[in-house]
Amino acid sequence: MVDNHIIAAARAVAVVAAAAALPLSSAAAGYSPDDTRTAIFSPDYRTLTIETEGNRLAPAILVDGLDDRLVIGFDGMGDEREYLRYSIYHCDANWRLSDLADSEVFDGFNYADVEDYAFSRGTITHYVHYTISLPNEAFSFRLSGNYLLRVYPENEPEEVLLQARFMVSEGAVGVGGSVSSRTDIDYNASHQQVAVNVDLRKYPVRDPYNDLTLRIIQNGRNDNTVTFRHPTRVNGTTLSYEHMPRLIFPAGNEYRRMEAVSTSYPGMGVDMITFEEPYYNIWLATDRPRLAGPYRFDRTQHGRFFVREYNSTSSDTEADYVPVHFSLDLSLIPDAEVYLDGDFTHRAFDSASRMDYNPSTGRYEKTMMLKQGAYNYQYLADPPVSDIEGNFYQTVNEYLVLVYYRAPGERHDRLIGSGVLYSGT
């Protein structure tokens, strides 16, 4: 049993640290031109979101023939609007920058000004909310595939502040399949096995064994994405990917949830709210490892977060920033680090998401400056020497399937189809 006075003292230190860390807590490691992950590089920017307009749970994919729009939002800390621009770059199936010239991808110049902005209202922390919608008058897309949007000061294109991944799909092939807990290694235990079918009836491919790349992403995670170059078999115009070891995923657990939507009352997962000049502090209930079960169903957002202030009709500009204190009651894991995983950490294992072990409380702890909202998160160890969340076959997971095609002689990977499969349905 840890002394309550020790915990209280640790909390007081955390409050001071949170206030000092306000300009720094969300920035990733320094920018590199070859780095294509979704990330914020400047400490003056926060809360990067990429959503499909009208469907916040959809992946960030524009599909040819549909009227979809992607909305990319982010906040600049302070009272003054900055003059920002953005450029967009085509990437291959593995998110390496393509060798294509801008003229091969776009009809016009490869830059546009960030013109949609609004100032925060009624918040302790002042910020400017910026929005980019795609496609727009400056950008329509000739080619399908992976894309990276980079934001920078108007006259400093090399000073990248943040970047976001998205995709453009031709929607030319049908993608289906199933997810089963009856796997090749266990039966209704701790894994899920994915089977994928790709229908090429409307999109003939000369050599499906060598010209296609298939990627499967579980819940938006970067650490366990799998890639396949060859199907298991071809039956007419149908490709099947099944009964391969890498199609078996640890089932994991439902994401943890917390709601920091109010500074007046504790929301879901919140233990208490305190005020330490100048911020309200959100203290989450102490989390514990869940590997011993039992499994509990929860309808989560598969790792996403949504900005929300409970009393606002315009949360993008009226939600405040608050220090959120995470704690995990877990003994020190030798030779491994523990990270917070979710879209709010950009799925990165870095200093911004790494938990710190506090020997005085016997817990892993982390304070992050977050915009008010509803957040999904989980704890992951790297290397994965210890299972924190548990693996339960009943877990409802989201599997995004992407099908890329590079025709002989072409210099880019087309995204010709995509689909989403769910376990437990």
Side-chain angles (χ1 to χ4, degrees):
M1 178 76 68
V2 178
D3 190 287
N4 288 334
H5 294 292
I6 296 178
I7 296 177
R11 285 182 170 179
V13 171
V15 169
V16 175
L22 175 59
L24 303 174
S25 60
S26 66
Y31 162 75
S32 166
D34 295 327
D35 184 350
T36 63
R37 61 194 166 130
T38 294
I40 297 175
F41 301 109
S42 168
D44 296 325
Y45 290 85
R46 299 176 184 277
T47 315
L48 174 60
T49 59
I50 311 102
E51 297 179 351
T52 300
E53 191 173 60
N55 186 354
R56 304 175 80 180
L57 291 175
I61 303 176
L62 293 170
V63 181
D64 286 352
L66 301 181
D67 294 328
D68 292 341
R69 292 175 66 83
L70 290 179
V71 179
I72 298 170
F74 55 92
D75 293 339
M77 299 296 102
D79 296 305
E80 300 294 330
R81 176 231 176 158
E82 300 292 334
Y83 290 90
L84 305 176
R85 282 185 174 169
Y86 63 97
S87 297
I88 298 176
Y89 302 89
H90 193 278
C91 299
D92 67 13
N94 294 312
W95 289 101
R96 294 185 294 256
L97 293 173
S98 301
D99 295 327
L100 303 175
D102 290 342
S103 59
E104 298 178 84
V105 184
F106 307 110
D107 292 328
F109 296 106
N110 185 10
Y111 67 83
D113 295 329
V114 182
E115 298 178 332
D116 190 352
Y117 65 93
F119 294 95
S120 61
R121 295 178 295 181
T123 58
I124 294 174
T125 300
H126 295 182
Y127 59 87
V128 182
H129 181 69
Y130 299 90
T131 303
I132 301 169
S133 297
L134 298 172
N136 55 40
E137 291 183 358
F139 285 101
S140 57
F141 301 93
R142 290 182 178 179
L143 305 177
S144 65
N146 292 342
Y147 284 89
L148 184 72
L149 179 145
R150 284 175 167 164
V151 177
Y152 50 87
E154 184 179 44
N155 297 315
E156 300 178 75
E158 303 301 320
E159 189 68 29
V160 175
L161 305 171
L162 57 90
Q163 60 189 24
R165 289 178 174 183
F166 67 95
M167 291 161 276
V168 175
S169 172
E170 297 176 22
V173 302
V175 178
S178 62
V179 183
S180 175
S181 58
R182 302 174 183 180
T183 78
D184 292 341
I185 60 174
D186 57 17
Y187 182 92
N188 286 354
S190 58
H191 293 84
Q192 295 173 350
Q193 185 159 328
V194 179
V196 176
N197 298 314
V198 178
D199 185 351
L200 297 177
R201 278 179 296 179
K202 297 181 180 180
Y203 201 102
V205 172
R206 182 186 64 86
D207 184 1
Y209 282 101
N210 294 295
D211 296 342
L212 294 179
T213 299
L214 184 137
R215 292 173 67 87
I216 303 176
I217 304 169
Q218 183 193 52
N219 298 327
R221 288 172 55 177
N222 296 323
D223 59 306
N224 65 349
T225 296
V226 295
T227 302
F228 299 91
R229 290 303 310 274
H230 313 293
T232 309
R233 56 187 172 87
V234 178
N235 183 11
T237 59
T238 300
L239 312 183
S240 296
Y241 299 78
E242 56 189 13
H243 297 292
M244 290 187 278
R246 288 188 300 134
L247 286 169
I248 302 174
F249 290 78
N253 206 337
E254 306 295 346
Y255 277 81
R256 302 175 192 259
R257 290 198 290 164
M258 73 88 170
E259 293 188 352
V261 299
S262 172
T263 55
S264 300
Y265 68 88
M268 178 180 294
V270 176
D271 180 38
M272 67 176 182
I273 300 172
T274 62
F275 182 77
E276 302 289 340
E277 185 71 31
Y279 306 117
Y280 286 95
N281 284 253
I282 304 292
W283 299 90
L284 302 185
T286 299
D287 290 316
R288 290 172 175 78
R290 300 187 293 173
L291 68 164
Y295 168 79
R296 290 185 174 88
F297 171 76
D298 191 10
R299 191 176 298 278
T300 70
Q301 301 153 188
H302 305 291
R304 297 175 176 87
F305 73 95
F306 301 133
V307 171
R308 184 162 68 89
E309 203 284 332
Y310 85 106
N311 200 33
S312 171
T313 58
S314 182
S315 292
D316 283 340
T317 54
E318 295 178 359
D320 213 334
Y321 278 84
V322 292
V324 177
H325 303 269
F326 296 83
S327 63
L328 175 64
D329 189 4
L330 177 69
S331 299
L332 180 67
I333 304 175
D335 304 318
E337 301 286 356
V338 175
Y339 295 91
L340 279 164
D341 172 70
D343 278 1
F344 72 109
T345 66
H346 309 132
R347 309 290 183 158
F349 291 170
D350 58 19
S351 60
S353 62
R354 186 178 62 243
M355 304 285 290
D356 298 313
Y357 183 74
N358 185 344
S360 65
T361 62
R363 296 171 179 172
Y364 282 90
E365 299 171 349
K366 184 70 174 181
T367 298
M368 299 187 72
M369 214 64 169
L370 299 178
K371 198 172 185 179
Q372 287 179 282
Y375 288 75
N376 269 193
Y377 67 99
Q378 64 177 347
Y379 299 100
L380 297 178
D382 184 49
V385 294
S386 177
D387 183 12
I388 300 171
E389 301 293 359
N391 289 288
F392 301 91
Y393 75 89
Q394 305 99 318
T395 303
V396 180
N397 287 309
E398 177 186 274
Y399 295 89
L400 175 62
V401 182
L402 304 169
V403 183
Y404 297 91
Y405 173 52
R406 178 173 292 206
E410 287 192 337
R411 297 164 42 239
H412 68 281
D413 293 321
R414 304 168 181 250
L415 178 57
I416 59 175
S418 62
V420 178
L421 306 176
Y422 293 95
S423 57
T425 58

